[in-house]
Amino acid sequence: MELLPLAPPGTTPVRALTIAGTDSGGGAGIQADSRTMALCGVHACVAVAAVTVQNSLGVSGFHEIPPQIVADQVRSVVGDIGVSAAKTGMLASSAIIAAVAEVCDEVGIGKDQAVPLVVDPVCASMHGDPLLHPEALDAVRNVLIPRATVVTPNLDEIRLITGIDVVDDATARRAAEQLYELGAQWAVVKGGHLRSSTESTDLLFDGNEFHSFTTPRIDTGNDHGGGDTLAAAIACALAHGYSVPDAFGFAKEWVTRCLAAAYDLGGGHGPVSPLWRLEQA
C-alpha cells in the first residue's frame, strides 16, 4: 500500500486530534488512535473524555472527565498547536457530547468547517460493555452525527443508532442512507455482516453515490481497537488533504494490514497492530 508521507526529521508533521476515552490495556481508545497517528507520521493531540478500567477481557468501569475540561483541552490544543483533522471516540454522556459539539463549532472542527471531523460513535466495547449512557444515544443522533464529515459506526452501533440490523448488501445500503439522513456528510457501513465471505466489503455513501471498498478478510480473533484504528487512519489521511473516498481507501488498507499483524495479549482479544509500519521504514 502507499503510505502517508513522513515529515523530514526536525520539521513539524501534520497534526490531528483525538477526543476519546483511554484504554488501560493499550488496545483501543486514545492509545490506539495515538499509535496509528504516530505510525502514519502524524503528530497526535488528545482530549481525554473518559478514563476506562479495562484489559483484554473487558471493561470493568470508567470515569467521565468533566465536560468543560474536555472542551478546554480541545480549545487549548487548537488555539496553540492547530490541527488539520479530528476524530471522536468514547464520549460517554450527553453532557460531554454537547460540550464537544459546542467547542468544535467554536474552533472550526466538523462538517463544512475548516477541519474535518471523523465521528466514531462509540456505544459499547467489543465485549458488549457499555461505554455510553443510554440516554446519550439521542445526543449521538441529533448532536454528534450532524457534525460528522465521516461517521464510522460498527454494526452494533448502527443497530442502536438507526434500528437497522445489517445482514446483507440491501440492509447495509439502508443503514448508510439513514446515517446520511441524520446529517453526516459521508456515512460508512463496514463489511462485518458477511462473516462467511473471504472478502470484507465496506460501503461509503455521500447521499448520492455508494463507494465500495473490498479487501481480503483477515481471520483473527485479535481485532481489539480495529474501529478506532480505522477512524484514526481516516483522520490522518484527511489531515494530509486527501478526499474522503481516498482517505477511506487508505484507512481500509491500513486496518487490514493492522489486522494481519495483530498479536495475542492477555487472556482475551489482542489488539490490531500498526507496528508493521516500522518494517517499511
Side-chain angles (χ1 to χ4, degrees):
M1 65 176 293
E2 183 175 347
L3 298 170
L4 298 179
L6 299 178
T11 64
T12 305
V14 298
R15 283 83 66 205
L17 169 67
T18 170
I19 312 165
T22 69
D23 176 357
S24 49
I30 276 178
Q31 282 76 7
D33 293 341
S34 297
R35 191 161 53 240
T36 276
M37 288 176 181
L39 288 166
C40 282
V42 173
H43 178 88
C45 300
V46 305
V48 180
V51 176
T52 70
V53 180
Q54 68 175 296
N55 54 27
S56 69
L57 298 171
V59 180
S60 57
F62 66 85
H63 171 74
E64 299 169 32
I65 304 301
Q68 188 59 50
I69 297 298
V70 180
D72 285 346
Q73 292 175 80
V74 175
R75 189 176 291 110
S76 177
V77 164
V78 175
D80 172 47
I81 297 170
V83 297
S84 296
K87 73 167 290 287
T88 64
M90 176 190 180
L91 299 184
S93 71
S94 55
I96 292 175
I97 291 170
V100 168
E102 182 177 353
V103 74
C104 283
D105 290 349
E106 174 190 326
V107 301
I109 295 173
K111 181 180 74 174
D112 299 327
Q113 304 226 51
V115 178
L117 177 65
V118 181
V119 170
D120 186 10
V122 175
C123 299
S125 75
M126 66 176 298
H127 304 92
D129 304 304
L131 296 174
L132 180 76
H133 294 302
E135 65 272 15
L137 266 177
D138 280 343
V140 170
R141 294 186 190 99
N142 302 322
V143 178
L144 192 57
I145 291 177
R147 287 170 167 80
T149 307
V150 191
V151 62
T152 64
N154 63 31
L155 297 186
D156 290 333
E157 289 156 356
I158 285 173
R159 189 180 304 110
L160 287 169
I161 293 166
T162 70
I164 298 172
D165 189 11
V166 176
V167 295
D168 55 22
D169 185 65
T171 49
R173 287 172 178 257
R174 283 215 317 273
E177 290 166 347
Q178 184 62 43
L179 290 166
Y180 176 79
E181 288 173 8
L182 286 172
Q185 185 174 355
W186 293 82
V188 171
V189 176
K190 303 170 192 177
H193 53 282
L194 297 176
R195 299 278 180 196
S196 60
S197 174
T198 59
E199 296 182 329
S200 172
T201 298
D202 296 348
L203 291 179
L204 178 67
F205 181 60
D206 67 349
N208 294 305
E209 185 179 359
F210 288 96
H211 303 257
S212 294
F213 299 82
T214 300
T215 57
R217 184 177 297 278
I218 306 299
D219 184 17
T220 178
N222 293 328
D223 53 359
H224 188 42
D228 309 79
T229 298
L230 177 75
I234 296 171
C236 288
L238 291 175
H240 274 283
Y242 282 40
S243 68
V244 171
D246 287 345
F248 186 81
F250 165 79
K252 173 75 168 169
E253 289 189 64
W254 177 270
V255 77
T256 300
R257 291 289 297 269
C258 292
L259 281 161
Y263 50 82
D264 294 333
L265 190 70
H269 293 275
V272 304
S273 175
L275 296 176
W276 62 267
R277 171 67 176 85
L278 299 176
E279 298 175 0
Q280 312 298 311

Coordinates of all heavy atoms in Angstrom, one line a residue, residues 165-246:
D165 N -30.8 -3.7 11.4 CA -29.9 -4.9 11.6 C -29.2 -5.2 10.3 O -29.9 -5.7 9.4 CB -30.7 -6.1 12.2 CG -29.8 -7.2 12.6 OD1 -28.5 -7.0 12.7 OD2 -30.3 -8.3 12.8
V166 N -28.0 -4.9 10.1 CA -27.3 -5.1 8.8 C -26.9 -6.5 8.6 O -26.1 -7.1 9.4 CB -26.1 -4.2 8.7 CG1 -25.3 -4.5 7.4 CG2 -26.5 -2.7 8.8
V167 N -27.5 -7.2 7.6 CA -27.2 -8.6 7.4 C -26.8 -8.9 5.9 O -26.4 -10.0 5.6 CB -28.4 -9.5 7.8 CG1 -28.7 -9.4 9.3 CG2 -29.7 -9.1 7.0
D168 N -27.0 -7.9 5.0 CA -26.7 -8.1 3.6 C -26.5 -6.7 3.0 O -26.5 -5.7 3.7 CB -27.8 -8.9 2.9 CG -29.2 -8.3 3.1 OD1 -29.3 -7.0 3.4 OD2 -30.2 -9.0 3.0
D169 N -26.3 -6.8 1.7 CA -26.0 -5.5 1.0 C -27.2 -4.5 1.0 O -27.0 -3.3 1.2 CB -25.6 -5.8 -0.5 CG -25.2 -4.6 -1.2 OD1 -24.1 -4.0 -0.8 OD2 -25.9 -4.1 -2.2
A170 N -28.4 -5.0 0.9 CA -29.6 -4.2 0.9 C -29.7 -3.4 2.3 O -30.0 -2.2 2.3 CB -30.8 -5.0 0.6
T171 N -29.5 -4.2 3.4 CA -29.7 -3.5 4.7 C -28.5 -2.6 4.9 O -28.6 -1.6 5.6 CB -29.8 -4.6 5.8 OG1 -28.8 -5.6 5.7 CG2 -31.2 -5.2 5.7
A172 N -27.3 -2.9 4.4 CA -26.1 -2.1 4.5 C -26.4 -0.7 3.9 O -26.1 0.3 4.4 CB -24.9 -2.7 4.0
R173 N -27.0 -0.8 2.7 CA -27.3 0.5 2.0 C -28.4 1.3 2.7 O -28.3 2.5 2.8 CB -27.7 0.1 0.5 CG -26.6 -0.3 -0.3 CD -27.0 -0.8 -1.7 NE -25.8 -1.2 -2.5 CZ -25.3 -0.5 -3.5 NH1 -25.9 0.7 -3.8 NH2 -24.3 -0.9 -4.1
R174 N -29.4 0.6 3.2 CA -30.4 1.3 4.0 C -29.8 2.0 5.2 O -30.1 3.1 5.6 CB -31.5 0.4 4.5 CG -32.5 0.0 3.4 CD -33.9 -0.2 3.9 NE -34.0 -0.9 5.2 CZ -34.1 -2.2 5.3 NH1 -34.1 -3.0 4.2 NH2 -34.2 -2.8 6.4
A175 N -28.9 1.3 5.9 CA -28.2 1.9 7.1 C -27.4 3.1 6.7 O -27.4 4.1 7.4 CB -27.3 0.8 7.8
A176 N -26.7 3.0 5.6 CA -25.9 4.1 5.1 C -26.7 5.3 4.8 O -26.4 6.5 5.1 CB -25.0 3.7 3.9
E177 N -27.9 5.1 4.2 CA -28.8 6.2 3.9 C -29.4 6.8 5.1 O -29.5 8.0 5.2 CB -29.9 5.6 3.0 CG -29.5 5.2 1.6 CD -30.5 4.4 0.8 OE1 -31.5 3.9 1.5 OE2 -30.4 4.2 -0.4
Q178 N -29.7 6.0 6.1 CA -30.2 6.5 7.4 C -29.2 7.4 8.1 O -29.5 8.4 8.6 CB -30.7 5.4 8.3 CG -31.3 5.8 9.6 CD -32.6 6.6 9.3 OE1 -33.4 6.2 8.5 NE2 -32.7 7.7 10.0
L179 N -27.9 6.9 8.1 CA -26.8 7.7 8.8 C -26.7 9.0 8.0 O -26.4 10.0 8.7 CB -25.5 6.9 8.8 CG -25.5 5.7 9.7 CD1 -24.3 4.8 9.4 CD2 -25.5 6.1 11.2
Y180 N -26.7 9.0 6.7 CA -26.6 10.2 6.0 C -27.8 11.1 6.3 O -27.6 12.4 6.5 CB -26.6 9.9 4.5 CG -26.6 11.2 3.6 CD1 -25.4 11.9 3.4 CD2 -27.8 11.6 3.1 CE1 -25.4 13.0 2.7 CE2 -27.8 12.8 2.3 CZ -26.6 13.5 2.1 OH -26.6 14.7 1.4
E181 N -29.0 10.6 6.4 CA -30.2 11.4 6.7 C -30.1 12.0 8.1 O -30.7 13.1 8.4 CB -31.4 10.6 6.6 CG -31.8 10.3 5.1 CD -33.0 9.3 5.0 OE1 -33.6 9.0 6.1 OE2 -33.2 8.8 3.9
L182 N -29.3 11.4 9.0 CA -29.1 12.0 10.3 C -28.2 13.2 10.3 O -28.1 14.0 11.3 CB -28.5 11.0 11.3 CG -29.5 9.9 11.8 CD1 -28.8 8.8 12.6 CD2 -30.6 10.5 12.6
G183 N -27.5 13.4 9.2 CA -26.8 14.6 9.0 C -25.3 14.5 8.7 O -24.6 15.5 8.4
A184 N -24.8 13.3 8.7 CA -23.4 13.1 8.3 C -23.1 13.4 6.8 O -24.0 13.1 6.0 CB -23.0 11.6 8.6
Q185 N -22.0 14.0 6.5 CA -21.6 14.3 5.2 C -21.3 13.0 4.4 O -21.7 12.8 3.2 CB -20.4 15.2 5.1 CG -20.1 15.7 3.7 CD -19.0 16.7 3.7 OE1 -18.5 17.2 4.8 NE2 -18.5 17.1 2.6
W186 N -20.6 12.1 5.1 CA -20.3 10.7 4.5 C -20.6 9.7 5.6 O -20.3 9.9 6.7 CB -18.8 10.6 4.1 CG -18.4 11.5 3.0 CD1 -18.1 12.8 3.0 CD2 -18.3 11.1 1.6 NE1 -17.7 13.3 1.8 CE2 -17.8 12.2 0.9 CE3 -18.4 9.9 0.9 CZ2 -17.6 12.2 -0.5 CZ3 -18.2 9.8 -0.5 CH2 -17.7 11.0 -1.1
A187 N -21.2 8.6 5.2 CA -21.5 7.5 6.1 C -20.8 6.2 5.7 O -20.8 5.9 4.5 CB -23.1 7.3 6.1
V188 N -20.3 5.5 6.7 CA -19.6 4.3 6.5 C -20.4 3.1 7.1 O -20.9 3.3 8.2 CB -18.2 4.3 7.1 CG1 -17.5 2.9 7.0 CG2 -17.3 5.3 6.4
V189 N -20.5 2.1 6.3 CA -21.1 0.8 6.9 C -20.0 -0.3 6.6 O -19.7 -0.5 5.4 CB -22.4 0.5 6.2 CG1 -22.9 -0.9 6.8 CG2 -23.5 1.5 6.6
K190 N -19.5 -0.9 7.6 CA -18.4 -1.8 7.5 C -19.0 -3.2 7.1 O -20.1 -3.5 7.3 CB -17.7 -1.9 8.8 CG -17.1 -0.5 9.3 CD -16.6 -0.6 10.7 CE -16.3 0.8 11.2 NZ -15.8 0.8 12.6
G191 N -18.1 -4.0 6.5 CA -18.5 -5.3 5.9 C -18.5 -6.5 6.8 O -18.4 -7.6 6.4
G192 N -18.6 -6.2 8.1 CA -18.5 -7.4 9.1 C -19.8 -8.3 9.0 O -19.8 -9.3 9.7
H193 N -20.8 -7.9 8.2 CA -22.0 -8.7 8.2 C -21.9 -10.0 7.4 O -22.7 -10.8 7.5 CB -23.2 -7.9 7.7 CG -22.9 -7.2 6.4 ND1 -22.1 -6.1 6.3 CD2 -23.3 -7.5 5.1 CE1 -22.1 -5.7 5.0 NE2 -22.8 -6.6 4.3
L194 N -20.9 -10.1 6.6 CA -20.7 -11.2 5.7 C -19.5 -12.1 6.2 O -18.5 -12.2 5.6 CB -20.5 -10.8 4.3 CG -21.7 -10.1 3.6 CD1 -21.3 -9.6 2.2 CD2 -22.9 -11.0 3.6
R195 N -19.7 -12.6 7.4 CA -18.6 -13.3 8.1 C -18.1 -14.6 7.3 O -17.0 -15.0 7.4 CB -19.1 -13.8 9.5 CG -19.5 -12.7 10.4 CD -18.3 -12.1 11.1 NE -18.7 -11.0 12.0 CZ -17.8 -10.1 12.5 NH1 -16.6 -10.1 12.1 NH2 -18.3 -9.1 13.3
S196 N -19.0 -15.2 6.5 CA -18.6 -16.4 5.8 C -17.8 -16.1 4.5 O -17.3 -17.0 3.9 CB -19.9 -17.2 5.4 OG -20.7 -16.4 4.6
S197 N -17.8 -14.8 4.1 CA -17.1 -14.4 2.9 C -15.6 -14.4 3.1 O -15.1 -14.1 4.2 CB -17.6 -13.0 2.5 OG -16.8 -12.6 1.4
T198 N -14.9 -14.6 2.1 CA -13.4 -14.5 2.1 C -12.9 -13.0 1.9 O -11.8 -12.7 2.0 CB -12.7 -15.4 1.0 OG1 -13.2 -14.9 -0.2 CG2 -13.1 -16.8 1.3
E199 N -13.9 -12.1 1.6 CA -13.6 -10.7 1.4 C -14.4 -9.9 2.4 O -15.5 -10.3 2.9 CB -13.9 -10.3 0.0 CG -13.0 -11.0 -1.0 CD -13.3 -10.5 -2.4 OE1 -14.5 -10.2 -2.7 OE2 -12.4 -10.5 -3.3
S200 N -13.9 -8.7 2.7 CA -14.6 -7.7 3.5 C -14.9 -6.5 2.7 O -13.9 -5.8 2.2 CB -13.8 -7.4 4.7 OG -14.4 -6.3 5.5
T201 N -16.2 -6.2 2.5 CA -16.5 -5.0 1.7 C -17.2 -4.0 2.5 O -18.2 -4.3 3.2 CB -17.5 -5.4 0.5 OG1 -16.8 -6.3 -0.3 CG2 -17.9 -4.2 -0.3
D202 N -16.7 -2.8 2.5 CA -17.3 -1.6 3.3 C -17.9 -0.7 2.3 O -17.5 -0.6 1.1 CB -16.2 -0.9 4.1 CG -15.6 -1.7 5.1 OD1 -16.1 -2.8 5.4 OD2 -14.5 -1.3 5.7
L203 N -19.0 0.0 2.7 CA -19.7 1.0 1.9 C -19.4 2.4 2.4 O -19.4 2.6 3.7 CB -21.2 0.7 1.9 CG -21.7 -0.5 1.2 CD1 -23.2 -0.6 1.3 CD2 -21.3 -0.5 -0.3
L204 N -19.3 3.3 1.5 CA -19.1 4.7 1.8 C -20.2 5.5 1.0 O -20.2 5.3 -0.2 CB -17.7 5.2 1.5 CG -17.4 6.7 1.7 CD1 -17.4 7.0 3.2 CD2 -16.0 7.0 1.1
F205 N -21.0 6.3 1.7 CA -22.1 6.9 1.0 C -22.2 8.4 1.3 O -22.0 8.9 2.4 CB -23.4 6.3 1.5 CG -24.7 6.8 0.9 CD1 -24.9 6.7 -0.5 CD2 -25.7 7.4 1.6 CE1 -26.1 7.2 -1.1 CE2 -26.9 7.8 1.1 CZ -27.1 7.7 -0.3
D206 N -22.4 9.2 0.2 CA -22.4 10.7 0.4 C -23.7 11.3 0.0 O -23.9 12.5 -0.2 CB -21.3 11.3 -0.6 CG -21.7 11.1 -2.0 OD1 -22.6 10.3 -2.4 OD2 -21.0 11.8 -2.9
G207 N -24.8 10.4 0.1 CA -26.1 10.9 -0.3 C -26.5 10.8 -1.7 O -27.7 10.8 -2.1
N208 N -25.5 10.5 -2.6 CA -25.8 10.3 -4.0 C -25.2 9.0 -4.5 O -25.8 8.3 -5.3 CB -25.2 11.5 -4.8 CG -25.8 12.8 -4.5 OD1 -27.0 12.9 -4.7 ND2 -25.1 13.8 -4.1
E209 N -24.0 8.7 -4.1 CA -23.3 7.5 -4.6 C -22.7 6.6 -3.6 O -22.2 7.1 -2.5 CB -22.2 8.1 -5.5 CG -21.4 7.0 -6.3 CD -20.3 7.6 -7.2 OE1 -20.2 8.8 -7.2 OE2 -19.6 6.8 -7.8
F210 N -22.8 5.3 -3.8 CA -22.2 4.4 -2.9 C -20.8 4.0 -3.5 O -20.7 3.7 -4.7 CB -23.0 3.1 -2.8 CG -24.3 3.2 -2.0 CD1 -25.5 3.5 -2.7 CD2 -24.3 3.1 -0.7 CE1 -26.6 3.6 -1.9 CE2 -25.4 3.2 0.1 CZ -26.6 3.5 -0.6
H211 N -19.8 4.0 -2.6 CA -18.4 3.6 -3.0 C -18.2 2.3 -2.2 O -18.4 2.3 -1.0 CB -17.4 4.7 -2.6 CG -17.6 6.0 -3.2 ND1 -16.9 6.5 -4.3 CD2 -18.5 7.0 -2.9 CE1 -17.4 7.7 -4.6 NE2 -18.3 8.0 -3.8
S212 N -17.7 1.3 -2.9 CA -17.4 0.0 -2.3 C -15.9 -0.2 -2.2 O -15.1 0.2 -3.1 CB -18.0 -1.1 -3.1 OG -19.4 -1.1 -3.1
F213 N -15.5 -0.7 -1.0 CA -14.0 -1.0 -0.8 C -13.9 -2.4 -0.3 O -14.5 -2.7 0.8 CB -13.5 0.0 0.3 CG -13.6 1.5 -0.1 CD1 -14.7 2.2 0.0 CD2 -12.5 2.1 -0.7 CE1 -14.8 3.5 -0.3 CE2 -12.5 3.4 -1.0 CZ -13.7 4.1 -0.9
T214 N -13.2 -3.2 -1.0 CA -13.1 -4.6 -0.7 C -11.6 -5.0 -0.5 O -10.7 -4.6 -1.2 CB -13.6 -5.5 -1.9 OG1 -15.0 -5.1 -2.0 CG2 -13.5 -7.0 -1.5
T215 N -11.4 -5.7 0.6 CA -10.1 -6.3 0.9 C -10.3 -7.7 1.4 O -11.4 -8.1 1.8 CB -9.4 -5.5 2.1 OG1 -10.2 -5.5 3.2 CG2 -9.1 -4.1 1.7
P216 N -9.2 -8.5 1.4 CA -9.3 -9.9 1.9 C -9.7 -9.9 3.4 O -9.2 -9.0 4.1 CB -7.9 -10.5 1.7 CG -7.3 -9.6 0.6 CD -7.9 -8.3 0.8
R217 N -10.6 -10.8 3.8 CA -10.9 -10.9 5.2 C -9.8 -11.5 6.0 O -9.3 -12.6 5.6 CB -12.2 -11.7 5.4 CG -12.7 -11.7 6.8 CD -14.0 -12.5 6.9 NE -15.1 -11.7 6.2 CZ -15.8 -10.7 6.6 NH1 -15.5 -10.2 7.8 NH2 -16.7 -10.1 5.9
I218 N -9.4 -10.9 7.1 CA -8.3 -11.5 7.9 C -9.0 -12.3 9.0 O -9.7 -11.8 9.8 CB -7.4 -10.4 8.5 CG1 -6.9 -9.5 7.4 CG2 -6.3 -11.0 9.3 CD1 -6.0 -10.1 6.4
D219 N -8.6 -13.6 9.1 CA -9.2 -14.5 10.0 C -8.4 -14.4 11.3 O -7.4 -15.1 11.5 CB -9.2 -15.9 9.5 CG -9.9 -16.9 10.4 OD1 -10.7 -16.4 11.3 OD2 -9.7 -18.1 10.3
T220 N -8.9 -13.6 12.3 CA -8.2 -13.4 13.5 C -9.2 -13.0 14.6 O -10.2 -12.3 14.3 CB -7.1 -12.3 13.5 OG1 -6.5 -12.2 14.8 CG2 -7.6 -11.0 13.0
G221 N -9.0 -13.5 15.8 CA -9.8 -13.0 17.0 C -9.2 -11.8 17.6 O -9.8 -11.2 18.5
N222 N -8.0 -11.5 17.2 CA -7.3 -10.3 17.8 C -7.6 -9.1 17.0 O -6.8 -8.6 16.1 CB -5.8 -10.6 17.8 CG -5.4 -11.7 18.8 OD1 -6.1 -11.9 19.8 ND2 -4.4 -12.4 18.4
D223 N -8.8 -8.5 17.3 CA -9.3 -7.3 16.5 C -9.6 -6.2 17.4 O -10.4 -5.3 17.0 CB -10.4 -7.7 15.6 CG -11.6 -8.4 16.3 OD1 -11.5 -8.6 17.6 OD2 -12.6 -8.8 15.7
H224 N -9.1 -6.2 18.6 CA -9.4 -5.1 19.6 C -8.8 -3.8 19.0 O -7.7 -3.7 18.6 CB -8.8 -5.4 20.9 CG -9.2 -4.5 22.0 ND1 -10.5 -4.0 22.2 CD2 -8.5 -3.9 23.0 CE1 -10.5 -3.2 23.2 NE2 -9.3 -3.1 23.7
G225 N -9.7 -2.8 19.0 CA -9.2 -1.5 18.5 C -9.3 -1.3 17.1 O -8.8 -0.2 16.5
G226 N -9.9 -2.2 16.4 CA -10.0 -2.1 14.9 C -10.8 -0.9 14.4 O -10.4 -0.2 13.5
G227 N -11.9 -0.6 15.1 CA -12.7 0.6 14.7 C -12.0 1.9 15.0 O -12.0 2.8 14.2
D228 N -11.3 2.0 16.1 CA -10.6 3.2 16.5 C -9.4 3.4 15.4 O -9.2 4.5 15.0 CB -9.9 3.0 17.9 CG -10.9 2.6 18.9 OD1 -11.2 1.4 19.0 OD2 -11.3 3.5 19.7
T229 N -8.8 2.3 15.1 CA -7.6 2.4 14.2 C -8.1 2.8 12.8 O -7.5 3.7 12.1 CB -6.9 1.0 14.1 OG1 -6.4 0.7 15.4 CG2 -5.8 1.0 13.0
L230 N -9.2 2.3 12.3 CA -9.8 2.7 11.0 C -10.1 4.2 11.1 O -9.7 5.0 10.2 CB -11.0 1.9 10.7 CG -11.8 2.3 9.4 CD1 -11.0 1.8 8.2 CD2 -13.2 1.8 9.4
A231 N -10.8 4.7 12.1 CA -11.2 6.1 12.2 C -10.0 7.0 12.3 O -10.0 8.1 11.7 CB -12.2 6.3 13.3
A232 N -9.0 6.6 13.1 CA -7.8 7.4 13.2 C -7.0 7.5 11.9 O -6.5 8.5 11.5 CB -6.9 6.8 14.3
A233 N -7.0 6.4 11.1 CA -6.3 6.4 9.9 C -7.0 7.3 8.9 O -6.4 8.0 8.1 CB -6.2 5.0 9.3
I234 N -8.4 7.3 8.9 CA -9.1 8.2 8.0 C -8.7 9.7 8.4 O -8.5 10.5 7.5 CB -10.6 8.0 8.2 CG1 -11.1 6.7 7.7 CG2 -11.4 9.1 7.4 CD1 -12.5 6.3 8.1
A235 N -8.7 10.0 9.7 CA -8.4 11.3 10.1 C -6.9 11.7 9.7 O -6.7 12.8 9.3 CB -8.5 11.4 11.7
C236 N -6.0 10.8 9.8 CA -4.6 11.0 9.3 C -4.6 11.4 7.8 O -3.9 12.4 7.4 CB -3.7 9.8 9.6 SG -3.4 9.5 11.3
A237 N -5.3 10.6 7.0 CA -5.3 10.9 5.6 C -6.0 12.2 5.3 O -5.6 13.0 4.4 CB -5.9 9.8 4.8
L238 N -7.1 12.5 6.0 CA -7.8 13.8 5.8 C -6.9 15.0 6.2 O -6.9 16.0 5.5 CB -9.1 13.9 6.6 CG -10.2 12.9 6.2 CD1 -11.4 13.0 7.2 CD2 -10.7 13.3 4.8
A239 N -6.1 14.8 7.3 CA -5.1 15.8 7.7 C -4.1 16.1 6.6 O -3.6 17.2 6.5 CB -4.4 15.4 9.0
H240 N -3.8 15.1 5.8 CA -2.9 15.3 4.7 C -3.6 15.9 3.4 O -2.9 16.0 2.4 CB -2.2 14.0 4.3 CG -1.0 13.7 5.1 ND1 0.2 14.2 4.9 CD2 -0.8 12.8 6.2 CE1 1.1 13.8 5.8 NE2 0.5 12.9 6.6
G241 N -4.8 16.1 3.5 CA -5.6 16.7 2.4 C -6.2 15.8 1.5 O -6.7 16.2 0.4
Y242 N -6.3 14.5 1.8 CA -7.0 13.5 1.0 C -8.4 13.8 0.9 O -9.0 14.3 1.8 CB -6.8 12.1 1.5 CG -5.5 11.4 1.3 CD1 -4.3 12.1 1.4 CD2 -5.4 10.1 1.0 CE1 -3.0 11.5 1.1 CE2 -4.2 9.4 0.8 CZ -3.0 10.2 0.9 OH -1.8 9.5 0.7
S243 N -9.1 13.4 -0.2 CA -10.5 13.5 -0.3 C -11.1 12.4 0.6 O -10.3 11.4 1.0 CB -11.0 13.2 -1.7 OG -10.7 11.8 -2.1
V244 N -12.3 12.4 1.0 CA -12.9 11.4 1.8 C -12.8 10.0 1.2 O -12.4 9.1 1.9 CB -14.4 11.7 2.2 CG1 -15.0 10.6 3.0 CG2 -14.4 13.0 3.1
P245 N -13.2 9.8 0.0 CA -13.0 8.4 -0.6 C -11.6 7.9 -0.6 O -11.3 6.8 -0.3 CB -13.6 8.6 -2.0 CG -14.5 9.7 -2.0 CD -13.9 10.7 -1.0
D246 N -10.6 8.8 -0.9 CA -9.2 8.4 -0.9 C -8.7 8.2 0.6 O -8.0 7.2 0.8 CB -8.3 9.5 -1.5 CG -8.5 9.5 -3.0 OD1 -9.0 8.5 -3.6 OD2 -8.1 10.5 -3.7

